[in-house]
Amino acid sequence: MKKSFFLSLVFLITGFLILVPAALAAPNYERNPDGFVHGLLFEVDGENYYFAGPGSELGARDVPGHSWVQTGPYRFVGRHYNIGPYMPNLGRYVPAWWAPLEDDGILLYKVDGIIAPWSPEIAESMAKRGYVHYHEIVHAEAPYEEHETLVLWLKHTAVSSFYFAPPPMPGNWRDVTPGIDFNFMPNYMMQYN
């Protein structure tokens, strides 16, 4: 009996010691991997741009909840966390904005981004590969005008299961499972400019 109890206790403590550091090391918005930046400044044809959006940090222009690293002239890898835009009355971002039943700041999606033009043919081709949502890019200087022809095509790959309920898209609330999310706020056929 004592030996059985002792072994159970050892397994319990060992499991706890393994799970706690893993949970603490899991990426979230506050523990973003090195190199990933919210409000990333990038260059297109000699001009500086940001991704359009209200940003999750004071003064940032970016897609809310995202952080990025540039992997090529027109390629980006991103992380989409469960946070919303910065709200001055809160003094921080809106918590658990994309998935209100999940923890604030957790990683929801890994994101692949490509800057390319919008056209009906390009939109169809991108959607077949999972790039069902595009986002505008804006000049880095006032008046922050959108690029005339190029957009950021986004493919979101869910890292876990969760209920997706973003306030700006009530018609797109649904259960998400791991893998490419072909229903992530699909706007690929909404004509740009």
Side-chain angles (χ1 to χ4, degrees):
M1 172 89 172
K2 287 182 182 180
K3 186 176 182 180
S4 165
F5 174 74
F6 178 73
L7 285 175
S8 295
L9 187 59
V10 167
F11 285 124
L12 180 65
I13 292 171
T14 303
F16 181 76
L17 292 175
I18 290 170
L19 291 176
V20 168
L24 291 176
N28 71 28
Y29 192 72
E30 302 300 327
R31 287 187 305 276
N32 204 15
D34 287 344
F36 283 81
V37 176
H38 182 71
L40 181 69
L41 180 69
F42 58 94
E43 187 178 303
V44 172
D45 299 329
E47 299 285 329
N48 289 328
Y49 286 86
Y50 290 111
F51 302 129
S56 296
E57 297 173 10
L58 179 62
R61 294 193 184 285
D62 202 343
V63 185
H66 290 65
S67 63
W68 307 94
V69 65
Q70 189 167 359
T71 58
Y74 295 99
R75 297 296 306 252
F76 301 85
V77 171
R79 292 180 171 268
H80 181 156
Y81 296 99
N82 194 25
I83 68 171
Y86 182 88
M87 298 300 284
N89 60 325
L90 294 177
R92 67 176 286 203
Y93 55 77
V94 177
W97 198 59
W98 300 95
L101 303 178
E102 304 298 326
D103 290 339
D104 177 37
I106 66 164
L107 180 65
L108 298 173
Y109 294 99
K110 291 184 178 179
V111 185
D112 186 48
I114 301 172
I115 293 179
W118 185 96
S119 73
E121 298 78 25
I122 291 172
E124 288 284 340
S125 172
M126 295 301 266
K128 289 176 185 170
R129 297 175 21 219
Y131 298 88
V132 296
H133 184 76
Y134 71 82
H135 207 77
E136 296 78 11
I137 62 174
V138 294
H139 199 273
E141 310 221 354
Y144 310 109
E145 294 173 341
E146 293 177 2
H147 196 283
E148 292 181 9
T149 58
L150 299 176
V151 296
L152 173 68
W153 289 98
L154 298 170
K155 174 171 60 174
H156 283 72
T157 303
V159 299
S160 63
S161 295
F162 56 90
Y163 185 68
F164 186 67
M169 294 282 297
N172 195 231
W173 294 3
R174 62 205 159 67
D175 289 317
V176 173
T177 57
I180 296 172
D181 187 349
F182 284 91
N183 292 307
F184 181 86
M185 299 172 62
N187 67 347
Y188 64 97
M189 286 309 292
M190 298 172 89
Q191 186 167 349
Y192 178 73
N193 281 337

